[in-house]
Each structure stands twice: as C-alpha cells, then as structure tokens.
C-alpha cells in the first residue's frame, strides 16, 4: 500500500504560517477551527472547575459571589456560543462535507475562511470582556438586568457573540449551497450520508435562527447605550419581549448543538454494526422535522414568565411533539444495531454513550415540557442536569466519537485504541457522577445560579464535584494521545474501519483537492453487505476524469 505521507497532501504541501492563515482549503480551515474551539473548551472548562470547586462547600470560602456569577456566565457563553455551536459543523462538517459529497471544496471557500476570522474576532471580544472583568448576566442575557442594571462587561461580550453569529451564518450558507450544488455524479439525495442530512438541517437553523438572536442582542446593546426603550417598561418597552426573541433562537440553537452529533452517530452505528442504517429516510427526515419543529417550542422556557396559561399549554403540547423525531432516531439506531456484528471500537463506545445519555436528556426534557412539572423545577438543578445530559452526554460524546472515527482520515495517524477506550469509559462514568446528582438536587429544590446552599445538599454537591474531576481526566487523556499520535501514531491507511462513504476512498490525509478524479457514485449509502469489513479494492470508486462532469 502506498504510504500517504510520501505524497503531498493537504497538511504537508506547505508549512508556512501564511499558507495556514490565508488558506481556503476546507480541510485546513477545519483544523484551524479545531484548534480554536479546543482552546475555548479549555477556557469554558476552567470556569466550570471553579464553579464546582466553589460548590463543594455550602458557603463561599473560595470566591466571592460576584466572581461566582461571572464564572457561570463565562462558562455558559463560551461553551454555548464558542464551543458547542461551532464544534461539529465547523470542524467535522467543514472537513467532511466536501469529501462526503465528492467535491473539491465547499461552494464558497473564501467565505469559509471569513467565517473562521469572524469566529476568532468574536472569540477575542468575549475573552477580552472576561479579562477586563467579566460579565455576570448568565449566557441568557435576560433584560432588564442586562440592559439596565448589570455593571459588568455586557456590551463587549454581546458584540463578541454578535460577530461570532455571522460566522455561523456563513457556515450555514456554505453548507446548504454545497449540498445542493456540488454532489458528485450519481450521489442522489437519498444516497447522501446521514451526517450530511444533519448538517443540512443544522444549516437551516443557522441561517434562519442566528439573525434573530443577533438582532435581539444588538437591541440589548442599543438599550444599554442609548436607552432605546425596546425592553425597558419605563420607556414603553417590554422585558418579556427579550425572552421571546432570545428563545426563538436559543431553543433551535440547542438543536444546532445536538443535530450534528446525531449525524455522527448515524455514521458510526452502521459502520460498527456492519449493517445498513435501518430506516434511512426516517433518520434523514427526522433531522428536518427537528429543524422545523424546533422553531415552534420556544415558549417552554417561559412557562413561569407570566405568559397566558393557554399559551403555556400550546407550547407544552408542541414540545411533546418534538420528542417524536428524536425518538425516531433512537429507535432507528437501536434497530440498526439489532443482530448486527457490533465492533466495540472507541468511536462506537462514544456513540453508545451518546444514545444512552441523550435518551435520558430527552426524556427529562419531556418532564420539563409538562407545564405543571416545570412550574416546580424551573430554574433548578433539574434543568441544569437535563441540558447537560444532552449537551455534554450527547453533543460532546458525539463530537468525541466523530473525532476518533475520522482522526485517521484527518491526520493520517492512528491513536492507541486501548487508551481511547479507557478515556471513553472514564468520560462516561465521570459524566454521570457529575450530573445525575444534579437531578436529585433539582427535585429537592436547589436553584441554579446560587453559590450558597443549605448544608443538607452538600453530599450530592460533593459527588457532583468529584465526578467533574473524573470527567476532566476523561477529556485530558484524549487530548494527550491525539497530540502524541501526530508524531508517534502508526500510519493510517485509506480506510482503517472498512467504512463505506466517499471520504474513505481517498488517501489519509487527503490531497489538497480531495480526489484525483471526480468520483461517480453507484452504490447506496451504508452498503455494509458483508459481516466482514470490505477490502480497500472492493470500495475503490468508479472514476471519471476530474472536472469532466461539471
Ligand atoms: C426532547 C426534546 C426536548 C424537550 C422536550 C426539552 C424541554 C426543555 C424545557 C421545557 C426546558 C425549560 C426548563 C425550564 O427552564 O424550566 C428546557 C431547558 C433547556 N434545554 Fe431542553 N428539551 C429538549 C431537548 C433539548 C436539547 C436537544 C438540548 C440541547 C442540545 C436542550 C437544551 C436545553 C437547555 C440549554 C435548557 C436551559 C436553558 C437555560 O435556561 O439556560 N434541550 N428543555
Ligand atoms: Cu427549549
């Protein structure tokens, strides 16, 4: 087998800083994003560590309450806007979409580079605001606190989130156009990998939702700076209007965070069960259904805001509906595994972790969607546990699974599988130990965002903090061996998992233009007919000269 690193590929054709900072290659931009979001994850994680340390004792001995408020705000803002939202789309999506559809790049390569710069500028504003003294509004920026009373760095933080929002919009437009226009000959919509469907659905939310939050946040700044009067009742405004506008984006945004992970899991499960994906069209359309329904349920965040009870009931009902497409996915993954020859690789362990933990998150979402239950547990640790089960247990597990699955493709190197399995196990245990006690705390009435609590809640809080330290170890191990593998890892062939999908037909790491010739697709998605992984020759695509078709 020809060793990939003997030829030029997207990584080694030039090593200059300029060739990286001015690249329009989707694969290099994906790497730039991967490095930047990892830094953000570390910053957000640091804030989480301070929060959990402070909560070990019922009274604050470690930090003052202003600092505590700033820590959870910084944690939320960074994790949501600068880590989870861009994570899978901007890293794995950027890298894989053109490879998966058999194209040379995204439709608008320079827009792609611009999106990274916007992300960096936005990120610098947010980090700058943190360094200048921080923000204390929570990631939700609720008015009138954010618009009138807070004397922290609300404006700079919002400017950062606003700018980073445009990077999401640019990515969304790029993905939508690429999926429509750049598919290789023979790659019909229903032959697309399910990951592409999930990116497509996510992109719809990017394009339709992000402008709303951008405008809303811009209005908060206008209100702070020139006292516009949109949210301030004294000036004829309405503070509840902010909540409507904010959640109109931010509920769909939770699906920005989890849909791409679902897409990753839809790739991993068939590959490591050596079976065709069960119910392909259902998985594909449930992504679109989630994208559409996601825009109709925002009021479930506002059950106790004083909105009419009838309105609450409608939102409650609609929120139950959105669980249906999520459940369809879980059902189909399970059915795909049924009677499959399951191969317990590290990526598959993460995928299994995703399925279990996402299900817990989704089911507790239904508790919260029940109007009468939510009145009791709104703004308690129950809500915190719910969304961490989905965003950490789900979205981040999916991201880790995807990184482990495609790492050999992205870098041309293999990582030590034993360490990877160990890390997946530690993550799973640490995660549950951190967040399961929070369900119990929430049910006992512990409110979120408080740093003082009665002593009877201490043991559960200590458990949670202990779990967080284990979780941190679970994330530190992959960081170490993945970096290690860049120099010392065994060389990866084209297709170490015997997976189907166009990205596995090119060398690892891929050449700058992805495929020597434009591939022609003659097979259906997830064509895992044999129990044994197929050989490389069997998966070699039929080829026509590059550019010959379009
Ligand atoms: C089965 C689908 C889901 C349902 C029915 C559901 C329901 C709910 C409800 C009713 C709340 C409001 C609770 C309250 O504030 O009192 C909530 C909060 C939340 N959910 Fe979900 N959810 C679902 C899925 C998700 C997903 C997929 C994510 C993330 C990827 C997510 C993230 C969040 C977040 C971040 C909050 C809290 C926001 C905040 O107040 O800071 N949820 N969920
Ligand atoms: Cu919601």
């Amino acid at each position: 087998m020809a060793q990939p690193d003997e030829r030029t590929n997207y990584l080694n054709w030039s090593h200059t800083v300029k060739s990286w900072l001015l690249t329009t290659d989707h694969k290099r931009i994906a790497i730039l994003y991967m490095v930047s979001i990892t830094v953000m994850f570390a910053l957000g994680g640091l804030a989480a560590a301070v929060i959990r340390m402070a909560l070990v004792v019922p009274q604050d001995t470690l930090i003052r309450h202003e600092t505590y408020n700033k820590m959870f705000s910084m944690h939320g803002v960074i994790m949501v806007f600068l880590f989870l939202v861009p994570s899978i789309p901007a890293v794995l999506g950027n890298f894989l979409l053109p490879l998966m559809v058999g194209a040379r790049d995204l439709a608008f390569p320079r827009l792609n580079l611009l999106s990274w710069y916007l992300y960096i500028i936005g990120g610098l504003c947010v980090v700058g605001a943190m360094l200048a003294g921080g923000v204390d509004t929570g990631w939700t920026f609720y008015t009138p606190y954010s618009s009138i009373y807070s004397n922290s760095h609300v404006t700079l933080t919002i400017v950062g989130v606003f700018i980073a929002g445009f990077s999401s919009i640019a990515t969304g437009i790029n993905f939508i156009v690429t999926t429509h226009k750049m598919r290789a000959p023979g790659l019909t919509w229903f032959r697309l990998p399910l990951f592409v469907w999930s990116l497509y659905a996510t992109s719809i939310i990017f394009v339709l939702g992000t402008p709303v939050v951008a405008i809303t946040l811009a209005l908060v700044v206008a209100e702070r700076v020139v006292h516009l009067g949109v949210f301030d009742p004294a000036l004829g405004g309405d503070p509840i209007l902010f909540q409507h506008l904010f959640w109109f984006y931010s509920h769909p945004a939770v699906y920005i965070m989890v849909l791409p992970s679902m897409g990753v899991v839809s790739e991993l499960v068939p590959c490591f069960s050596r079976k065709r994906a069960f119910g392909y069209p259902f998985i594909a359309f449930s992504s679109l259904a989630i994208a559409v329904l996601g825009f109709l349920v925002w009021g479930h965040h506002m059950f106790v805001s004083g909105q009419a009870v009838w309105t609450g009931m409608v939102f409650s009902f609609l929120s139950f509906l959105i669980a249906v497409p999520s459940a369809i996915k879980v059902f189909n993954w399970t059915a795909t595994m049924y009677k499959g020859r399951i191969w317990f690789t590290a990526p598959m362990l993460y995928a299994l972790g995703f399925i279990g933990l996402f299900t817990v998150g989704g089911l507790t979402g239904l508790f919260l969607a029940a109007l009468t239950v939510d009145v009791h547990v709104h703004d308690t640790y129950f809500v915190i546990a719910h969304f961490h089960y989905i965003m950490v247990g789900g979205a981040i597990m999916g991201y880790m699974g995807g990184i482990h699955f495609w790492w050999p493709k992205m870098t041309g190197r293999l990582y030590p599988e034993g360490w990877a399995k160990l890390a997946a196990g530690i993550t799973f245990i640490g995660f549950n130990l951190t967040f399961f006690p929070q369900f119990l705390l929430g049910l006992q009435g512990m409110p979120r965002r408080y740093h003082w609590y009665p002593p009877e809640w201490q043991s559960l809080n200590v458990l949670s903090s202990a779990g967080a330290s284990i979780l941190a170890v679970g994330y530190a191990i992959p960081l170490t061996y993945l970096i290690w593998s860049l120099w010392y890892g065994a060389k990866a062939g084209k297709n170490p998992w015997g997976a189907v999908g166009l990205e596995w037909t090119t060398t690892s790491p891929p050449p700058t233009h992805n495929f020597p010739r434009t591939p022609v697709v003659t097979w259906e998605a997830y064509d895992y007919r044999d129990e044994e992984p197929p050989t490389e020759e069997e998966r070699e695509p039929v080829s026509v000269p590059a550019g010959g078709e379009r």
Side-chain angles (χ1 to χ4, degrees):
M1 196 198 322
Q3 282 309 328
D5 73 336
E6 272 157 42
R7 341 167 1 147
T8 46
N9 57 51
Y10 83 99
L11 286 173
N12 67 7
W13 68 268
S14 168
H15 292 288
T16 61
V17 174
K18 191 175 152 206
S19 76
W20 277 94
L21 292 184
L22 294 180
T23 183
T24 52
D25 181 342
H26 66 102
K27 300 181 287 305
R28 283 195 165 203
I29 295 173
I31 303 291
L32 292 176
Y33 261 118
M34 182 162 67
V35 174
S36 356
I37 69 160
T38 307
V39 172
M40 289 303 170
F41 184 59
L43 282 179
L46 206 64
V50 176
I51 296 170
R52 281 311 333 160
M53 269 194 276
L55 289 175
V56 168
V57 286
Q59 252 90 67
D60 56 342
T61 46
L62 184 73
I63 51 174
R64 286 171 306 145
H65 54 275
E66 307 91 69
T67 318
Y68 184 84
N69 295 347
K70 286 174 180 172
M71 283 299 150
F72 72 68
S73 304
M74 167 169 161
H75 170 69
V77 169
I78 291 185
M79 287 303 199
V80 169
F81 296 111
L82 299 172
F83 175 69
L84 276 171
V85 165
S87 61
I88 296 188
V91 178
L92 295 172
N94 242 332
F95 196 94
L96 292 164
L97 180 58
L99 286 165
M100 283 182 160
V101 301
R104 291 169 139 226
D105 207 313
L106 287 175
F108 308 116
R110 272 175 291 191
L111 183 66
N112 199 17
L113 181 62
L114 177 69
S115 89
W116 181 71
Y117 276 102
L118 289 172
Y119 170 81
I120 289 295
I121 297 170
L124 287 176
C125 291
V126 172
V127 173
M130 304 299 166
L131 294 178
V135 66
D136 63 357
T137 58
W139 76 283
T140 47
F141 301 107
Y142 268 23
T143 54
Y145 186 62
S146 62
S147 53
I148 302 176
Y149 300 108
S150 171
N151 51 19
S152 63
H153 292 273
V154 182
T155 302
L156 188 55
T157 310
I158 285 184
V159 167
V161 172
F162 183 87
I163 296 174
F166 282 87
S167 104
S168 297
I169 297 172
T171 302
I173 292 172
N174 231 336
F175 285 6
I176 290 175
V177 177
T178 305
T179 313
H180 274 276
K181 290 296 195 191
M182 316 261 296
R183 281 171 290 123
L187 189 57
T188 58
W189 280 87
F190 288 103
R191 284 178 175 173
L192 282 175
L194 289 162
F195 183 58
V196 174
W197 277 96
S198 77
L199 287 177
Y200 186 81
T202 307
S203 302
I204 293 175
I205 309 177
F206 271 150
V207 173
L208 296 183
T210 318
V212 178
V213 80
I215 293 166
T216 309
L217 293 178
L219 287 174
V220 171
V221 170
E223 184 101 355
R224 268 181 89 80
V225 180
V226 296
H227 311 289
L228 199 61
V230 180
F231 305 121
D232 181 359
L235 300 170
D238 179 358
I240 300 294
L241 176 63
F242 173 84
Q243 297 183 26
H244 280 292
L245 294 172
F246 181 81
W247 290 114
F248 183 80
Y249 162 80
S250 291
H251 183 82
V254 306
Y255 286 102
I256 291 180
M257 299 180 241
V258 85
L259 270 171
S261 257
M262 294 170 153
V264 168
V265 172
S266 303
E267 298 298 308
L268 303 189
V269 167
C271 175
F272 296 118
S273 308
R274 314 308 308 174
K275 271 183 72 194
R276 198 167 253 194
F278 182 88
Y280 175 104
F282 288 91
I283 303 184
F285 282 119
S286 61
S287 293
L288 294 182
I290 286 175
V292 173
L293 282 175
F295 280 105
L296 305 178
V297 300
W298 78 89
H300 66 209
H301 295 272
M302 300 171 59
F303 286 151
V304 298
S305 68
Q307 75 184 2
V309 176
W310 289 106
T311 316
M313 283 168 67
V314 172
F315 277 121
S316 182
F317 176 73
L318 289 170
S319 304
F320 284 124
L321 275 192
I322 201 164
V324 175
S326 308
I328 287 178
K329 283 186 196 283
V330 173
F331 175 79
N332 283 286
W333 295 322
T334 314
T336 305
M337 288 187 282
Y338 180 64
K339 290 193 173 165
R341 213 186 61 148
I342 297 183
W343 186 9
F344 289 100
T345 58
M348 185 60 168
L349 292 185
Y350 281 112
L352 292 172
F354 174 100
I355 296 173
L357 300 178
F358 172 76
T359 304
V360 175
L363 288 177
T364 51
L366 290 179
F367 294 14
L368 295 171
L371 182 53
T372 40
V373 177
D374 188 70
V375 170
H376 293 279
V377 291
H378 172 68
D379 257 346
T380 69
Y381 265 83
F382 192 89
V383 175
I384 305 290
H386 152 68
F387 69 73
H388 283 88
Y389 262 79
I390 293 175
M391 308 210 295
V392 182
I396 301 184
M397 282 267 172
Y399 175 71
M400 296 298 284
I403 288 287
H404 282 80
F405 187 54
W406 284 292
W407 186 260
K409 179 56 60 188
M410 297 172 84
T411 65
R413 298 291 178 151
L414 299 175
Y415 48 81
E417 179 73 15
W419 280 101
K421 284 184 189 161
L422 180 73
I426 293 179
T427 311
F428 186 82
I429 294 169
F431 171 80
N432 283 296
L433 193 57
T434 311
F435 291 104
F436 196 82
Q438 299 186 5
F439 279 129
L440 306 177
L441 284 169
L443 288 176
Q444 291 173 21
M446 178 164 168
R448 66 190 286 194
R449 295 180 173 170
Y450 280 40
H451 66 299
W452 277 33
Y453 57 82
E456 59 262 35
W457 289 332
Q458 188 173 17
S459 27
L460 286 171
N461 271 296
V462 169
L463 267 188
S464 181
S465 297
S469 345
I470 299 178
L471 191 56
V473 173
Y475 291 134
I477 297 174
L479 189 67
T480 316
Y481 64 69
L482 288 177
I483 295 175
W484 174 91
S485 78
L486 294 176
W487 284 273
Y488 307 107
K491 298 230 163 67
K494 268 186 188 179
N495 191 357
W497 312 113
V500 300
L502 282 178
E503 77 271 27
W504 302 105
T505 63
T506 187
T507 44
S508 311
T512 301
H513 292 301
N514 296 346
F515 301 97
R517 290 152 175 272
T518 303
V520 174
V521 179
T522 55
W523 59 86
E524 302 302 314
Y526 309 108
D527 199 5
Y528 292 106
R529 263 169 295 180
D530 309 315
E531 296 218 321
E532 296 301 323
T535 63
E536 255 174 32
E537 295 79 64
E538 280 169 4
R539 295 250 49 96
E540 211 58 47
V542 187
S543 301
V544 296
E549 294 304 299
R550 273 173 275 121

